[in-house]
Amino acid sequence: MPVPDRAGPGTGRTAVLDTSAVAPPEREDLIRHALWESFSRIDIQHHGPEERIGARMGLGAVGPLKVCSARGTPVTLRRTERLARGDHAPAVFLGLQVTGTNVVGQYGRQCRVGPGSLVVFESTAPYSLSFEQGVDYLSLRIPRETLALPERVLRAVTATAFGPANPTARLAFTYFSQLAASEELRGGSGAEALVHPSVELLRAVVVSQFGGVLPGRAKVPEAPLSLRITQYIRDHLADPGLCAPRIAAAHGISVRHLYTVLARSGISLGDWIRAHRLAECRRELAGPQGRVRTIASIGRTWGFVDATHFSKAFKSAYGISPRAWRDQHHPAPPHR
């Protein structure tokens, strides 16, 4: 059975699957294999006879973000309880409805997603997507740890449509559509630099659902302070002593107020620091120093004093060990 050319992790190159190139009896298995291997493990129920099943998919990545573009015949996709329990790399999905509609369900809630709208859902709980007239859809898979949003916030916005009337969602739809469509963007020298703004834009979309105020928080005009705090954290990521009391003291505020300010931006401090430290380690392991320095020393440089903890956190975030990630970018020379 033909399969798409595999785009390696972190590459911008798109692997394309087109079922028109295979016989109808093979198409269902081909689609399932491509999705399970490259994007997400889901049950697939096609609507209509076997000979009418058809799909064209592009599968790629930018850094740890996986991208899937799909057009095809009517179908329902389901993440069952069993498949959700077996997820060892928790992720958040961002769906972009290009044309037609899609009914998304999770946590007992359903919404109809129309053209130009976004929807968010999680990999670690059952969900369903129903494309009744056909598929014209873009999806991004973002590691849960990279997004670093509190569980209560994600649960509050899953299976909720973010439509064009929301200006932040409208901006995000344009941005992510271009990111999904452009191999030049995903494969260029600045591709890794797109990861952080992409994650922050998705965070802004989620926060916009609450009018800029997360549940249970008072509306206080602290945006400039929030930006100063996150910049301070980035500047001191390599300091293993970076902690809430030190950050609060540097800004002349209490620890409690620090958490309040960050929570308004949807930031969980510990998760945010860990995610950004892991991203720096990931960048260094793939860069020129990746083969010269030891994995443990790179981890220590970015605040991971325990090598075992670093390895587990890295694999949890990216679904691959630090050693395997390094070896993909620095293969050992062949034996003579």
Side-chain angles (χ1 to χ4, degrees):
M1 182 193 315
V3 295
D5 292 334
R6 188 70 56 84
T11 69
R13 186 169 61 85
T14 300
V16 178
L17 175 148
D18 188 344
T19 60
S20 65
V22 301
E26 299 177 349
R27 293 175 183 173
E28 185 172 355
D29 285 343
L30 178 60
I31 293 168
R32 177 179 290 103
H33 176 75
L35 286 174
W36 277 52
E37 289 296 311
S38 302
F39 200 71
S40 179
R41 297 193 168 196
I42 48 178
D43 282 348
I44 305 173
Q45 178 187 353
H46 294 277
H47 304 169
E50 178 184 84
E51 61 271 17
R52 293 187 181 176
I53 293 174
R56 179 178 174 82
M57 295 190 297
L59 298 160
V62 52
L65 315 184
K66 293 186 177 181
V67 182
C68 177
S69 61
R71 300 190 69 179
T73 49
V75 68
T76 294
L77 310 175
R78 290 189 178 88
R79 180 82 156 180
T80 64
E81 185 77 44
R82 177 180 61 83
L83 291 173
R85 280 199 309 269
D87 193 329
H88 300 300
V92 174
F93 292 100
L94 173 66
L96 290 75
Q97 192 68 33
V98 182
T99 63
T101 60
N102 169 26
V103 178
V104 178
Q106 189 169 51
Y107 295 126
R109 186 165 57 241
Q110 277 194 339
C111 71
R112 183 173 292 274
V113 188
S117 295
L118 311 173
V119 66
V120 174
F121 49 100
E122 295 187 80
S123 71
T124 53
Y127 64 77
S128 64
L129 290 78
S130 182
F131 300 90
E132 298 164 353
Q133 290 91 35
V135 181
D136 192 0
Y137 187 71
L138 302 171
S139 185
L140 286 90
R141 180 185 175 110
I142 301 101
R144 170 68 188 276
E145 194 158 300
T146 300
L147 190 57
L149 276 169
E151 175 67 26
R152 62 184 177 81
V153 172
L154 279 175
R155 285 205 175 208
V157 299
T158 54
T160 300
F162 297 86
N166 178 326
T168 307
R170 191 165 62 242
L171 170 65
F173 188 93
T174 300
Y175 171 86
F176 286 115
S177 295
Q178 293 184 9
L179 183 63
S182 174
E183 285 195 14
E184 185 179 6
L185 278 176
R186 299 196 309 276
S189 59
E192 284 284 346
L194 293 174
V195 174
H196 175 69
S198 298
V199 170
E200 293 302 316
L201 181 54
L202 176 53
R203 192 198 310 280
V205 171
V206 171
V207 175
S208 74
Q209 181 68 13
F210 306 104
V213 184
L214 294 181
R217 301 290 177 179
K219 190 164 187 175
V220 182
E222 293 284 11
L225 177 57
S226 174
L227 292 176
R228 293 198 303 272
I229 290 170
T230 52
Q231 186 58 56
Y232 176 90
I233 296 172
R234 289 192 190 97
D235 292 342
H236 294 82
L237 275 176
D239 182 355
L242 184 67
C243 60
R246 181 176 297 183
I247 297 166
H251 293 84
I253 59 176
S254 68
V255 171
R256 181 176 181 180
H257 189 50
L258 169 70
Y259 283 116
T260 299
V261 171
L262 294 178
R264 288 191 64 253
S265 296
I267 294 174
S268 171
L269 181 60
D271 290 345
W272 199 93
I273 291 174
R274 182 169 57 254
H276 284 74
R277 282 175 168 170
L278 287 170
E280 292 296 338
C281 292
R282 186 176 184 275
R283 178 184 59 77
E284 285 211 22
L285 286 167
Q289 294 297 310
R291 179 58 67 181
V292 178
R293 300 179 59 198
T294 67
I295 291 172
S297 71
I298 290 175
R300 283 195 299 272
T301 295
W302 293 103
F304 293 98
V305 295
D306 185 316
T308 301
H309 170 69
F310 167 55
S311 182
K312 288 181 179 178
F314 191 98
K315 188 168 185 178
S316 175
Y318 300 120
I320 187 172
S321 71
R323 184 174 301 280
W325 171 254
R326 183 190 65 180
D327 290 347
Q328 284 181 358
H329 292 80
H330 304 283
H335 294 291
R336 294 190 181 274

